[in-house]
Amino acid sequence: MTFGATPSQPGPRPPRRSRARRFVPLGIAAWMVLEIWLLIVVADATNGLTVFLLLLAGVIAGAYVIKRAGRRAWKNLTESLQAGRDPAAPPKDPASGSGNTLPMLGGLLLMVPGLVSDALGLLCLFPPTGKLIHHRAEKILNRRAANSPGTFGDAFQQARMRRPDGKVVQGEVIHDDEPPAPRRQDPPLTG
């Protein structure tokens, strides 16, 4: 008995891997190699204690930035709830701060050991480059959202059925166009 596809009948082709699934692991590996190489270069130029102190300072600074951004986010949430506003709505006054995403990302990058990640984290925290990164990311995300066929909410609405009494019942419609094929009986095994 043969299982699987025969040479005359090729099986279905496996789905192609997306570019992200192909290149993101390579990019992460290259980034790690670059970080290690830079740490070795700095250690050769100075000494191991300097590298250790640089990494420790990055972790401490990143933790401080994340803690501060988290407190600011909590304060904004409580203020908007007390004022009766929607917490997810953008603030009416853009000068009050556009968000805590970039400071959180910058703090996280500072906490990741390495010099390149520290430089990227500082770019997220520095106001001119932070605004540039924020506007560029917003433009990319808006372009992707405009090109998508629908939102997640639209897909969720389409996947629900409404009953006449107004209740929503989630389910799947199965049409019985043809009766199921009868099960094949294998002969009993004899020893």
Side-chain angles (χ1 to χ4, degrees):
M1 183 178 274
T2 305
F3 293 103
T6 61
S8 63
Q9 297 175 336
R13 291 180 54 189
R16 288 190 58 168
R17 293 180 75 176
S18 67
R19 282 187 175 171
R21 286 189 67 193
R22 186 178 309 151
F23 292 119
V24 166
L26 293 173
I28 291 173
W31 181 28
M32 290 186 338
V33 167
L34 177 66
E35 292 280 17
I36 293 169
W37 177 74
L38 279 174
L39 289 174
I40 291 171
V41 168
V42 170
D44 284 344
T46 58
N47 58 19
L49 181 63
T50 305
V51 172
F52 176 74
L53 291 176
L54 279 172
L55 294 176
L56 184 65
V59 169
I60 291 171
Y64 173 75
V65 167
I66 287 177
K67 183 178 179 181
R68 190 166 159 230
R71 281 186 180 166
R72 188 173 41 215
W74 184 257
K75 179 182 164 211
N76 291 343
L77 175 68
T78 55
E79 285 176 358
S80 57
L81 288 176
Q82 287 174 352
R85 295 188 315 255
D86 181 19
K92 292 180 182 177
D93 182 20
S96 66
S98 60
N100 295 307
T101 306
L102 276 178
M104 290 275 195
L105 178 64
L108 181 68
L109 286 170
L110 281 172
M111 290 181 74
V112 171
L115 300 176
V116 175
S117 62
D118 288 350
L120 292 175
L122 290 174
L123 285 176
C124 289
L125 295 175
F126 189 58
T129 55
K131 286 181 183 178
L132 181 70
I133 292 169
H134 176 76
H135 291 304
R136 182 70 178 144
E138 190 174 16
K139 187 184 286 187
I140 289 171
L141 291 175
N142 285 338
R143 186 179 327 136
R144 285 198 180 168
N147 291 337
S148 65
T151 64
F152 181 70
D154 293 339
F156 184 69
Q157 278 294 103
Q158 293 172 0
R160 300 188 322 180
M161 291 178 53
R162 296 191 185 274
R163 291 180 38 186
D165 59 358
K167 292 182 181 176
V168 177
V169 179
Q170 291 189 15
E172 181 178 328
V173 177
I174 300 174
H175 297 284
D176 288 334
D177 294 334
E178 52 190 68
R183 287 189 73 185
R184 189 183 83 188
Q185 286 289 53
D186 289 333
L189 295 174
T190 57

